[in-house]
Amino acid sequence: MRTGARDVVHTDTDDRSYKVRITVKSLVRGSEEDMRGARVDKALKGMVPHYLTFEVTNTGLEKLPAAYMVYSKLSLNGTDWTHGEKIYLSGGRPGGVDLPCADTAPKTLAPGDSYETCVAYALGKGVDVLSLTHSADGYLDEGGAVATWPVEGGLKTASAGLAEPGDKVRVRWNDIENGVLELPATLVSVRRGRPSDLTSLDLDLNENERRGTPYYVSVTYTNPGPEDLYADQAGQVRLLTEGGRQIRGKTPFVHDADEIPGCPTDWATQLVPPGDSVTECSVHLVTGDDKPFAVGFSEADRPGLVAWRAPVH
C-alpha cells in the first residue's frame, strides 16, 4: 500500500465535522489460521485478515470526541470491489489480544494530539487489496469526499478478470414474474457528461452528487425467452472506480431520450419479445478525483459482480 498522510474531514454520529490527518503506516496480510482461534463472528471464519496500522492527528481547533470512531469512515476495498469486513471481537470494538492487531485509540483527542492504532479487516480467499479509502460522510458509494491510498498492482489484478467492452456475457437478473433469468448482456459505451446536462431532469441527487461528473453507461440485454421481458435491468449496473467505489446509477423515466444528452435509451416501460434486444442507459455521478475503471452488474442470488473494462469516451 502507498503509505502516507491525507487531510480529511471526520463526521461524527451527530453530523458534526472535525479536521483530522490520517497517516497510513502499513497494511499486513494475515493468515486464515489467525481467525480460527480468535473470538470473531463465525461468518468471518475462513476469510483472510488484513491488519491496517495508521495514525490519527487532530488538526482542528476542537477536542475530537469518540476519537476511536475515525476508523468507521475507512474502507478496505478488494480487487473484486467488495469492501472488507471489519473484524470485531466479542466486547465490541475491533482488534484485541486474540489477533496481532489492537485498537488502542483513546476516547477523546485534543487539538494537535495524535494516536496510532491498528484495525483488522477480513477479505475472501484469493481476493487482493485494491485500495484503502476514507469517506467524509461514511457512505463510500454515495458521492461524498473520498481520500484514497491505492495498493501497488491492485488495478492490474482487478483488470485480469474483466470482460472487454463488446463482449457478450450472461448476467443473472431476478424477474418477478419468471424468477431468475440469465440474460446475454453487452457493455455498449461509457460516456463522460457535464453537470449542466442534468439541471432540467428530476433526479434524486444528494448535495455531493450535484457537484459530481455524470457518466452515462449503456448496456444491451437480449431476452432469451420464452416470455416477454420487462426492461428494468439498469438498476443492477454499477460504475466501478479506481478508488474502489461501486456507484449505482440514476435511471430517470423520460419519454424523450434527447432529454439526457449522451444517454439514449429505447427501454422506457416497454416489454421485449423473446429474441429481441433492448439498450438501457443509466447515469452515474462520480465525485472528487476518482475515475471510472469498469462497469459491473450485480447478479441475483450470487455474491460479487460480472464486470467489463470501461473505456470512457
Side-chain angles (χ1 to χ4, degrees):
M1 176 169 287
R2 296 179 192 171
T3 57
R6 304 285 189 276
D7 289 318
V8 301
V9 174
H10 170 69
T11 305
D12 68 10
T13 54
D14 293 322
D15 292 328
R16 294 174 298 190
S17 296
Y18 301 88
K19 294 181 179 180
V20 300
R21 178 174 296 131
I22 298 176
T23 305
V24 170
K25 299 297 185 71
S26 67
L27 178 70
V28 177
R29 187 195 306 272
S31 165
E32 183 185 341
E33 295 295 323
D34 296 349
M35 304 281 276
R36 290 185 178 173
R39 295 173 291 115
V40 300
D41 192 308
K42 290 182 179 179
L44 301 181
K45 300 286 187 179
M47 300 181 76
V48 179
H50 292 69
Y51 307 120
L52 176 72
T53 301
F54 59 97
E55 180 183 79
V56 175
T57 302
N58 183 353
T59 57
L61 301 177
E62 300 178 60
K63 180 174 69 174
L64 180 63
Y68 69 92
M69 286 299 292
V70 171
Y71 83 85
S72 67
K73 305 299 191 294
L74 291 170
S75 174
L76 191 70
N77 310 304
T79 50
D80 60 352
W81 278 275
T82 58
H83 305 317
E85 295 281 347
K86 289 189 177 70
I87 300 174
Y88 296 88
L89 298 177
S90 57
R93 289 167 58 183
V97 295
D98 290 344
L99 293 172
C101 179
D103 181 1
T104 56
K107 291 185 177 180
T108 62
L109 192 65
D113 283 358
S114 301
Y115 69 85
E116 185 172 304
T117 190
C118 180
V119 174
Y121 298 83
L123 288 172
K125 289 183 181 178
V127 178
D128 289 324
V129 180
L130 176 64
S131 65
L132 174 76
T133 46
H134 175 277
S135 180
D137 57 12
Y139 300 100
L140 177 62
D141 301 328
E142 296 184 11
V146 174
T148 303
W149 292 262
V151 169
E152 187 105 15
L155 283 175
K156 182 178 180 181
T157 301
S159 67
L162 298 178
E164 294 295 330
D167 286 353
K168 186 174 289 187
V169 299
R170 301 182 76 86
V171 299
R172 291 170 62 84
W173 180 70
N174 190 11
D175 185 318
I176 296 176
E177 296 290 333
N178 301 301
V180 175
L181 303 177
E182 290 195 351
L183 308 178
T186 304
L187 174 64
V188 177
S189 64
V190 180
R191 298 184 179 277
R192 179 184 174 121
R194 297 173 300 178
S196 60
D197 296 343
L198 309 180
T199 53
S200 62
L201 292 178
D202 185 18
L203 287 176
D204 182 19
L205 304 179
N206 61 39
E207 290 185 13
N208 293 318
E209 289 170 331
R210 292 186 186 281
R211 294 191 292 268
T213 299
Y215 287 83
Y216 310 123
V217 176
S218 293
V219 179
T220 295
Y221 307 91
T222 301
N223 181 5
E227 304 291 336
D228 286 349
L229 173 71
Y230 182 65
D232 189 26
Q233 290 73 47
Q236 302 306 112
V237 173
R238 310 287 186 262
L239 187 63
L240 310 177
T241 72
E242 292 182 358
R245 285 191 278 179
Q246 293 187 30
I247 300 179
R248 294 173 178 266
K250 310 289 183 177
T251 53
F253 287 86
V254 295
H255 298 289
D256 184 358
D258 293 334
E259 290 186 42
I260 313 177
C263 197
T265 181
D266 60 9
W267 66 278
T269 62
Q270 74 175 38
L271 291 175
V272 184
D276 281 5
S277 298
V278 62
T279 298
E280 299 184 45
C281 184
S282 49
V283 184
H284 304 254
L285 281 301
V286 178
T287 57
D289 297 326
D290 212 352
K291 297 179 181 178
F293 182 72
V295 170
F297 188 96
S298 179
E299 295 202 290
D301 296 341
R302 284 184 183 173
L305 303 162
V306 171
W308 296 266
R309 195 182 317 278
V312 177
H313 300 287

